[in-house]
PDB file of all heavy atoms in Angstrom:
ATOM      1  N   PRO B 244       2.483 -25.665  38.978  1.00 93.00           N
ATOM      2  CA  PRO B 244       1.397 -25.925  37.959  1.00 93.00           C
ATOM      3  C   PRO B 244       0.053 -25.437  38.445  1.00 93.00           C
ATOM      4  O   PRO B 244      -0.271 -25.600  39.729  1.00 93.00           O
ATOM      5  CB  PRO B 244       1.356 -27.408  37.804  1.00 93.00           C
ATOM      6  CG  PRO B 244       2.175 -27.990  38.828  1.00 93.00           C
ATOM      7  CD  PRO B 244       2.950 -26.813  39.460  1.00 93.00           C
ATOM      8  N   GLU B 245      -0.769 -24.687  37.630  1.00 92.00           N
ATOM      9  CA  GLU B 245      -2.050 -24.266  37.997  1.00 92.00           C
ATOM     10  C   GLU B 245      -3.032 -24.648  37.058  1.00 92.00           C
ATOM     11  O   GLU B 245      -2.846 -25.264  35.986  1.00 92.00           O
ATOM     12  CB  GLU B 245      -1.985 -22.760  37.950  1.00 92.00           C
ATOM     13  CG  GLU B 245      -1.291 -22.020  39.003  1.00 92.00           C
ATOM     14  CD  GLU B 245      -1.081 -20.478  38.751  1.00 92.00           C
ATOM     15  OE1 GLU B 245      -2.176 -19.875  38.388  1.00 92.00           O
ATOM     16  OE2 GLU B 245      -0.004 -20.009  38.764  1.00 92.00           O
ATOM     17  N   PHE B 246      -4.366 -24.534  37.523  1.00 91.00           N
ATOM     18  CA  PHE B 246      -5.292 -25.023  36.626  1.00 91.00           C
ATOM     19  C   PHE B 246      -6.393 -23.770  36.567  1.00 91.00           C
ATOM     20  O   PHE B 246      -6.939 -23.236  37.486  1.00 91.00           O
ATOM     21  CB  PHE B 246      -6.113 -26.185  37.299  1.00 91.00           C
ATOM     22  CG  PHE B 246      -7.002 -26.913  36.348  1.00 91.00           C
ATOM     23  CD1 PHE B 246      -6.498 -27.810  35.450  1.00 91.00           C
ATOM     24  CD2 PHE B 246      -8.342 -26.781  36.484  1.00 91.00           C
ATOM     25  CE1 PHE B 246      -7.202 -28.303  34.536  1.00 91.00           C
ATOM     26  CE2 PHE B 246      -9.166 -27.483  35.452  1.00 91.00           C
ATOM     27  CZ  PHE B 246      -8.558 -28.301  34.466  1.00 91.00           C
ATOM     28  N   ASP B 247      -6.704 -23.439  35.229  1.00 87.00           N
ATOM     29  CA  ASP B 247      -7.635 -22.427  35.108  1.00 87.00           C
ATOM     30  C   ASP B 247      -9.053 -23.073  34.976  1.00 87.00           C
ATOM     31  O   ASP B 247      -9.345 -23.764  33.868  1.00 87.00           O
ATOM     32  CB  ASP B 247      -7.356 -21.716  33.808  1.00 87.00           C
ATOM     33  CG  ASP B 247      -8.233 -20.612  33.484  1.00 87.00           C
ATOM     34  OD1 ASP B 247      -9.362 -20.608  33.970  1.00 87.00           O
ATOM     35  OD2 ASP B 247      -7.770 -19.623  32.761  1.00 87.00           O
ATOM     36  N   TYR B 248      -9.802 -22.897  35.925  1.00 88.00           N
ATOM     37  CA  TYR B 248     -11.033 -23.754  36.038  1.00 88.00           C
ATOM     38  C   TYR B 248     -12.115 -23.074  35.025  1.00 88.00           C
ATOM     39  O   TYR B 248     -12.942 -23.896  34.446  1.00 88.00           O
ATOM     40  CB  TYR B 248     -11.745 -23.636  37.503  1.00 88.00           C
ATOM     41  CG  TYR B 248     -10.817 -24.300  38.425  1.00 88.00           C
ATOM     42  CD1 TYR B 248      -9.911 -23.727  39.165  1.00 88.00           C
ATOM     43  CD2 TYR B 248     -10.894 -25.765  38.500  1.00 88.00           C
ATOM     44  CE1 TYR B 248      -9.173 -24.308  40.131  1.00 88.00           C
ATOM     45  CE2 TYR B 248     -10.120 -26.389  39.365  1.00 88.00           C
ATOM     46  CZ  TYR B 248      -9.180 -25.705  40.138  1.00 88.00           C
ATOM     47  OH  TYR B 248      -8.337 -26.387  40.997  1.00 88.00           O
ATOM     48  N   LEU B 249     -11.956 -21.778  34.698  1.00 87.00           N
ATOM     49  CA  LEU B 249     -12.923 -21.231  33.740  1.00 87.00           C
ATOM     50  C   LEU B 249     -12.740 -21.828  32.346  1.00 87.00           C
ATOM     51  O   LEU B 249     -13.628 -22.137  31.655  1.00 87.00           O
ATOM     52  CB  LEU B 249     -12.818 -19.770  33.699  1.00 87.00           C
ATOM     53  CG  LEU B 249     -13.726 -18.983  32.766  1.00 87.00           C
ATOM     54  CD1 LEU B 249     -15.182 -19.152  33.417  1.00 87.00           C
ATOM     55  CD2 LEU B 249     -13.432 -17.615  32.832  1.00 87.00           C
ATOM     56  N   LYS B 250     -11.484 -22.115  31.968  1.00 83.00           N
ATOM     57  CA  LYS B 250     -11.260 -22.527  30.646  1.00 83.00           C
ATOM     58  C   LYS B 250     -10.827 -24.025  30.599  1.00 83.00           C
ATOM     59  O   LYS B 250     -10.566 -24.594  29.622  1.00 83.00           O
ATOM     60  CB  LYS B 250     -10.210 -21.663  29.938  1.00 83.00           C
ATOM     61  CG  LYS B 250     -10.538 -20.327  29.901  1.00 83.00           C
ATOM     62  CD  LYS B 250      -9.308 -19.426  29.476  1.00 83.00           C
ATOM     63  CE  LYS B 250      -9.518 -17.908  29.580  1.00 83.00           C
ATOM     64  NZ  LYS B 250      -8.365 -17.104  29.608  1.00 83.00           N
ATOM     65  N   SER B 251     -10.810 -24.519  31.778  1.00 84.00           N
ATOM     66  CA  SER B 251     -10.468 -25.957  31.856  1.00 84.00           C
ATOM     67  C   SER B 251      -9.147 -26.182  31.163  1.00 84.00           C
ATOM     68  O   SER B 251      -8.839 -27.113  30.357  1.00 84.00           O
ATOM     69  CB  SER B 251     -11.474 -26.904  31.108  1.00 84.00           C
ATOM     70  OG  SER B 251     -12.695 -27.049  31.934  1.00 84.00           O
ATOM     71  N   LEU B 252      -8.137 -25.391  31.601  1.00 85.00           N
ATOM     72  CA  LEU B 252      -6.833 -25.436  30.980  1.00 85.00           C
ATOM     73  C   LEU B 252      -5.786 -25.609  32.174  1.00 85.00           C
ATOM     74  O   LEU B 252      -5.923 -24.893  33.170  1.00 85.00           O
ATOM     75  CB  LEU B 252      -6.471 -24.105  30.283  1.00 85.00           C
ATOM     76  CG  LEU B 252      -7.034 -23.826  28.958  1.00 85.00           C
ATOM     77  CD1 LEU B 252      -6.567 -22.492  28.407  1.00 85.00           C
ATOM     78  CD2 LEU B 252      -6.614 -24.936  27.904  1.00 85.00           C
ATOM     79  N   GLU B 253      -4.839 -26.453  31.974  1.00 90.00           N
ATOM     80  CA  GLU B 253      -3.769 -26.538  32.919  1.00 90.00           C
ATOM     81  C   GLU B 253      -2.760 -25.564  32.410  1.00 90.00           C
ATOM     82  O   GLU B 253      -2.399 -25.401  31.282  1.00 90.00           O
ATOM     83  CB  GLU B 253      -3.150 -27.925  32.827  1.00 90.00           C
ATOM     84  CG  GLU B 253      -2.296 -28.130  33.992  1.00 90.00           C
ATOM     85  CD  GLU B 253      -1.727 -29.595  34.088  1.00 90.00           C
ATOM     86  OE1 GLU B 253      -2.107 -30.371  33.185  1.00 90.00           O
ATOM     87  OE2 GLU B 253      -1.133 -29.981  35.055  1.00 90.00           O
ATOM     88  N   ILE B 254      -2.248 -24.817  33.406  1.00 94.00           N
ATOM     89  CA  ILE B 254      -1.169 -23.774  33.111  1.00 94.00           C
ATOM     90  C   ILE B 254       0.101 -24.418  33.619  1.00 94.00           C
ATOM     91  O   ILE B 254       0.359 -24.794  34.680  1.00 94.00           O
ATOM     92  CB  ILE B 254      -1.476 -22.509  33.919  1.00 94.00           C
ATOM     93  CG1 ILE B 254      -2.737 -22.017  33.402  1.00 94.00           C
ATOM     94  CG2 ILE B 254      -0.338 -21.574  33.651  1.00 94.00           C
ATOM     95  CD1 ILE B 254      -3.309 -20.892  34.309  1.00 94.00           C
ATOM     96  N   GLU B 255       0.994 -24.557  32.631  1.00 94.00           N
ATOM     97  CA  GLU B 255       2.312 -25.093  32.861  1.00 94.00           C
ATOM     98  C   GLU B 255       3.192 -24.396  33.741  1.00 94.00           C
ATOM     99  O   GLU B 255       3.121 -23.191  33.524  1.00 94.00           O
ATOM    100  CB  GLU B 255       3.196 -25.360  31.533  1.00 94.00           C
ATOM    101  CG  GLU B 255       2.794 -26.752  30.845  1.00 94.00           C
ATOM    102  CD  GLU B 255       3.731 -26.874  29.682  1.00 94.00           C
ATOM    103  OE1 GLU B 255       3.605 -26.272  28.660  1.00 94.00           O
ATOM    104  OE2 GLU B 255       4.698 -27.822  29.873  1.00 94.00           O
ATOM    105  N   GLU B 256       4.043 -25.063  34.653  1.00 96.00           N
ATOM    106  CA  GLU B 256       4.896 -24.355  35.361  1.00 96.00           C
ATOM    107  C   GLU B 256       6.215 -24.016  34.838  1.00 96.00           C
ATOM    108  O   GLU B 256       7.057 -23.440  35.498  1.00 96.00           O
ATOM    109  CB  GLU B 256       4.974 -25.045  36.765  1.00 96.00           C
ATOM    110  CG  GLU B 256       5.846 -26.406  36.606  1.00 96.00           C
ATOM    111  CD  GLU B 256       5.053 -27.587  36.159  1.00 96.00           C
ATOM    112  OE1 GLU B 256       4.014 -27.298  35.492  1.00 96.00           O
ATOM    113  OE2 GLU B 256       5.354 -28.714  36.371  1.00 96.00           O
ATOM    114  N   LYS B 257       6.485 -24.343  33.655  1.00 96.00           N
ATOM    115  CA  LYS B 257       7.644 -24.244  33.007  1.00 96.00           C
ATOM    116  C   LYS B 257       8.050 -22.793  32.985  1.00 96.00           C
ATOM    117  O   LYS B 257       7.263 -21.869  32.574  1.00 96.00           O
ATOM    118  CB  LYS B 257       7.531 -24.829  31.539  1.00 96.00           C
ATOM    119  CG  LYS B 257       8.874 -24.513  30.679  1.00 96.00           C
ATOM    120  CD  LYS B 257       8.790 -25.318  29.376  1.00 96.00           C
ATOM    121  CE  LYS B 257       7.769 -24.797  28.316  1.00 96.00           C
ATOM    122  NZ  LYS B 257       8.458 -23.994  27.522  1.00 96.00           N
ATOM    123  N   ILE B 258       9.361 -22.498  33.211  1.00 97.00           N
ATOM    124  CA  ILE B 258       9.773 -21.154  33.268  1.00 97.00           C
ATOM    125  C   ILE B 258      10.157 -20.750  31.814  1.00 97.00           C
ATOM    126  O   ILE B 258      11.092 -21.319  31.250  1.00 97.00           O
ATOM    127  CB  ILE B 258      11.104 -20.961  34.115  1.00 97.00           C
ATOM    128  CG1 ILE B 258      10.771 -21.473  35.585  1.00 97.00           C
ATOM    129  CG2 ILE B 258      11.519 -19.390  34.222  1.00 97.00           C
ATOM    130  CD1 ILE B 258       9.699 -20.725  36.360  1.00 97.00           C
TER     131      ILE B 258
END
Side-chain angles (χ1 to χ4, degrees):
Chain B
E245 287 172 49
F246 198 78
D247 181 338
Y248 294 97
L249 185 64
K250 299 170 193 169
S251 290
L252 283 179
E253 192 176 3
I254 299 168
E255 274 193 285
E256 68 277 28
K257 172 169 77 95
I258 308 293

